[in-house]
Amino acid sequence: MIILGILAAVASVQPLWKDLVPGMSKEQVQTLYPSGRVMLTSECEAKVITRYQNGGLSSVALRFGDLMGAGKNQWDRAMHCQETVKASIVEKYGDPIDSQFVKGPGSLFGKDQYLFKNNDVMIRFTIERGRPFTVVEYQLFPTSTRATPDAADNL
């Protein structure tokens, strides 16, 4: 019943990811994702990372594949998840609107970043080179035009 109330209160806003919409409180997010983890596919688990501004949800990131020191099987599974998630995003949103290589602090080998757009939501898919560490971040584009979101799959 609580979850239905949360969803009804924010139903008119385009979701950032799945049922998480801008402006939700930390308590509302924790009610929906109490473990802070989610299965993206039967083999790919991700940590759900949320950011808040002015007391409300402003972005959602899914982090997976942080396997420094992991064995080959874990590494291979993380690489498989990376490719599966990227292919799913391309299938759902089309080709990226931008892509770039970023080399900076905290990244030994650099990162490949791909930007996708779904109505007012920007999806930033970041792959760290040299290891299967991946972050998929969903946040609002700063535009005023909103369109009805399409049905969301897991990604």
Side-chain angles (χ1 to χ4, degrees), residues 39 63 70 87:
M39 292 302 293
R63 184 176 75 189

Side-chain angles (χ1 to χ4, degrees), residues 1 14 21 23 37-38 40 52 57 93 106 114 120 140 146:
M1 193 63 157
Q14 180 183 350
V21 297
R37 302 193 75 74
V38 64
L40 299 175
Y52 299 85
L57 183 65
Y93 302 115
Y114 304 90
D120 289 345
L140 284 180
R146 300 210 182 266

Side-chain angles (χ1 to χ4, degrees), residues 31-154:
T31 298
L32 294 172
Y33 297 94
S35 71
R37 302 193 75 74
V38 64
M39 292 302 293
L40 299 175
T41 70
S42 62
E43 297 180 3
C44 303
E45 182 181 30
K47 181 175 182 177
V48 178
I49 302 167
T50 52
R51 292 189 181 105
Y52 299 85
Q53 288 182 340
N54 302 321
L57 183 65
S58 61
S59 71
V60 177
L62 306 174
R63 184 176 75 189
F64 58 95
D66 193 7
L67 298 173
M68 292 304 285
K72 182 169 177 14
N73 288 341
Q74 290 174 307
W75 187 276
D76 289 345
R77 187 175 69 209
M79 293 295 288
H80 168 75
C81 290
Q82 186 179 78
E83 291 304 316
T84 300
V85 170
K86 183 179 177 192
S88 296
I89 291 172
V90 169
E91 182 179 325
K92 183 171 181 177
Y93 302 115
D95 290 330
I97 60 172
D98 188 27
S99 63
Q100 62 181 332
F101 172 74
V102 178
K103 179 101 167 132
S107 177
L108 183 61
F109 299 107
K111 302 174 185 181
D112 292 310
Q113 289 187 340
Y114 304 90
L115 296 178
F116 299 86
K117 187 174 187 276
N118 177 31
N119 299 321
D120 289 345
V121 176
M122 178 180 66
I123 301 100
R124 182 187 330 254
F125 183 83
T126 304
I127 299 171
E128 183 136 347
R129 289 188 181 179
R131 64 184 181 135
F133 177 69
T134 306
V135 175
V136 183
E137 183 175 11
Y138 298 78
Q139 64 187 44
L140 284 180
F141 265 110
T143 62
S144 59
T145 307
R146 300 210 182 266
T148 306
D150 56 357
D153 296 333
N154 282 338

